[in-house]
Amino acid sequence: MAKRVAFELGGREIEPGTQATVNLPVSVMPDHTPVHLSVEVIHGKRKGPVVFVSAAIHGDEVMGVEIARRLLGSVSPDKLRGTLMVVPIVNTLGFLNRSRYSPDRRDLNRSFPGTKGGSLASRLAHRFMHEIVARSDVGIDLHSAAVHRTNLPQMRVSPDTARPLQLSKAFGAPVVLISPLREGSLRAEAREMGVDVLLYEAGEGLRFDEMAARTGVAGILRVLHALEMVSARGIPKLKADPLVCKESAWVRAPAGGLLRVQKGEGSLVEEGERLGTISDPFGETEWVVTSPSNGIIVGRAVLPVVNEGDALFHIAEITALEDAEDRVDQLQTQLAQSPLFDEDEII
C-alpha cells in the first residue's frame, strides 16, 4: 500500500496526520505591514476528499470566524480522512476595518474569479481561487446577514445541483433555500471549476450568535461525515429534515417610521398575517406590515428606525404550513440543545 503523500500549499509540505498554518502573501499595507491569506491545513493520515471552509469573505461577517475557530478545535488530523483547509478570515483588510468591503470599495464576493493584475479585491479573489478552490472537491462558505439585518441559520444552494442539495440537507440548518447563482460570486465561479460550494447564512454582521455558531459547527461536521471524512461520534443526529424552500421575497416598508416587530426569524406565518407595525414618532399614523404568502421568516431587519422601501422581513415560501410546523419545532429544539464543540472536545 502506497504511503500517503504530503499536502503542498504555498511552498509548505504538510505531512499526513499533521496540521500547519500556511500564510499566503496577498499585499503590503501602506505602512509596510504584510497582509496574508492564512490557511490552517489539516492533512489526515488516510485518503479522502479535500474540503475548504472559508469565512469573512465579507469583512464584517465575524460569525463565520467564530465557527471556523471552534471547528479547528473539533477535528483531529489523526482521525481525519482526506484534507481540510480552513480559512477563518479571507478578507483580512475588510475584517480589520470592520467593513463588508475591501479597501478598494469592492465586494469580494462579486470579484471572483479575479485576475492576477487587477484591483486588490480581484487579486485576492484570484489567489483564493487558485490556491484554495482549485485544490478542493467541496467548499463550505460561511456568511452572515448584511448590516442591520439578521438571518435564521440557513443553507443556500443553486437550482438543479443534486450533490450540494444533498450535502446541505445533511448540514441540518432549519431551512435550505434554493438561490440562483450570482455572477462574480465564489459559489458561481467555483461551480465553473467543478467544485461544489455550500453557503451557510446565519446571524448578523459584527455580532456573535450562539445558536448560529453551534448550528454551523455541527453542520460542517455532519457534511464531513457525509463525505466519510470523520466518524459520527459526538455529532448530534438530525431530528427532522430541513425545509427546502424554492421561492423567497423581502417585504418592504410601506412608509418611514418606527418599526415594532411582532414576528421574528424562524416564525411560521400565513398570508396576510401581521409581521410588524410602523408608526410615526407622534403615534398619529400606523402602517401594518403583513406577509404576502405562507412561509417562514428567514431574515429580518434589526433596527427599529426604517425608511420607506427598506427591506424588513425575508419570507421563504412554504405551501403546507401544517407539515412544516412540527419540523420547525423539532429543528429549533435541536438547535437549542446542540452541544458546544470547542477545544476540549476533539472528534
Side-chain angles (χ1 to χ4, degrees):
M1 185 175 180
K3 181 182 177 182
R4 182 158 158 77
V5 299
F7 188 85
E8 192 278 329
L9 181 67
R12 292 276 303 277
E13 289 191 350
I14 297 90
E15 295 296 329
T18 66
Q19 68 183 79
T21 303
V22 180
N23 295 316
L24 304 174
V26 171
S27 179
V28 177
M29 295 178 69
D31 68 348
H32 202 61
T33 302
V35 179
H36 296 100
L37 181 67
S38 297
V39 187
E40 188 72 13
V41 180
I42 305 176
H43 191 43
K45 281 187 174 181
R46 290 171 287 177
K47 291 183 178 180
V50 178
V51 172
F52 76 83
V53 175
S54 56
I57 278 182
H58 294 130
D60 61 350
E61 295 179 345
V62 299
M63 190 68 260
V65 183
E66 174 64 6
I67 292 171
R69 184 192 71 82
R70 296 187 188 190
L71 175 68
L72 287 172
S74 305
V75 178
S76 167
D78 289 335
K79 300 176 182 178
L80 180 72
R81 298 183 189 91
T83 305
L84 178 65
M85 292 187 286
V86 180
V87 189
I89 303 170
V90 179
N91 185 356
T92 304
L93 293 174
F95 180 81
L96 291 174
N97 292 326
R98 302 176 188 174
S99 169
R100 181 178 179 86
Y101 304 108
S102 297
D104 56 5
R105 301 185 300 280
R106 286 174 166 83
D107 185 337
L108 181 57
N109 208 29
R110 297 294 178 269
S111 301
F112 291 97
T115 57
K116 192 173 183 179
S119 68
L120 179 59
S122 183
R123 293 174 188 224
L124 177 55
H126 180 269
R127 191 77 194 255
F128 189 82
M129 289 293 292
H130 286 268
E131 297 281 8
I132 307 299
V133 179
R135 307 287 303 279
S136 304
D137 301 298
V138 175
I140 304 173
D141 193 26
L142 309 175
H143 286 265
S144 300
V147 63
H148 303 322
R149 297 178 187 169
T150 188
N151 278 335
L152 177 76
Q154 62 195 261
M155 302 299 292
R156 304 278 180 91
V157 297
S158 54
D160 305 320
T161 52
R163 186 163 81 149
L165 178 58
Q166 180 185 13
L167 293 176
S168 292
K169 289 179 177 179
F171 191 102
V175 172
V176 176
L177 189 58
I178 306 301
S179 175
L181 296 171
R182 294 189 178 185
E183 184 179 357
S185 69
L186 171 61
R187 197 157 53 105
E189 298 305 324
R191 186 177 179 184
E192 290 293 317
M193 296 180 70
V195 179
D196 293 325
V197 173
L198 314 180
L199 193 153
Y200 175 63
E201 282 273 6
E204 180 184 354
L206 296 176
R207 298 288 185 273
F208 277 177
D209 182 303
E210 184 61 28
M211 185 178 75
R214 295 187 183 198
T215 305
V217 177
I220 294 170
L221 292 172
R222 288 193 195 99
V223 171
L224 296 181
H225 173 62
L227 294 171
E228 299 182 345
M229 295 177 69
V230 299
S231 72
R233 186 175 67 85
I235 304 175
K237 294 182 179 180
L238 285 178
K239 294 183 178 180
D241 292 330
L243 295 171
V244 178
C245 303
K246 297 182 179 180
E247 300 287 341
S248 69
W250 277 95
V251 180
R252 296 186 176 273
L258 303 175
L259 173 67
R260 303 191 305 277
V261 172
Q262 271 87 46
K263 296 289 183 179
E265 63 273 22
S267 296
L268 290 171
V269 294
E270 298 181 2
E271 181 178 353
E273 186 172 354
R274 180 185 294 222
L275 305 176
T277 306
I278 298 173
S279 303
D280 71 85
F282 302 98
E284 295 177 351
T285 309
E286 289 192 344
W287 296 266
V288 175
V289 181
T290 61
S291 177
S293 62
N294 295 340
I296 182 171
I297 299 176
V298 294
R300 66 174 180 87
V302 296
L303 286 184
V305 180
V306 300
N307 293 308
E308 181 176 348
D310 281 356
L312 303 182
F313 299 93
H314 191 190
I315 310 292
E317 293 186 14
I318 297 173
T319 53
L321 283 179
E322 295 82 5
D323 296 337
E325 189 170 1
D326 287 340
R327 264 199 283 174
V328 170
D329 287 343
Q330 288 177 311
L331 288 165
Q332 295 282 28
T333 300
Q334 177 174 289
L335 295 185
Q337 296 175 347
S338 291
L340 176 61
F341 292 103
D342 215 327
E343 289 84 359
D344 59 347
E345 184 170 354
I346 306 299
I347 290 181

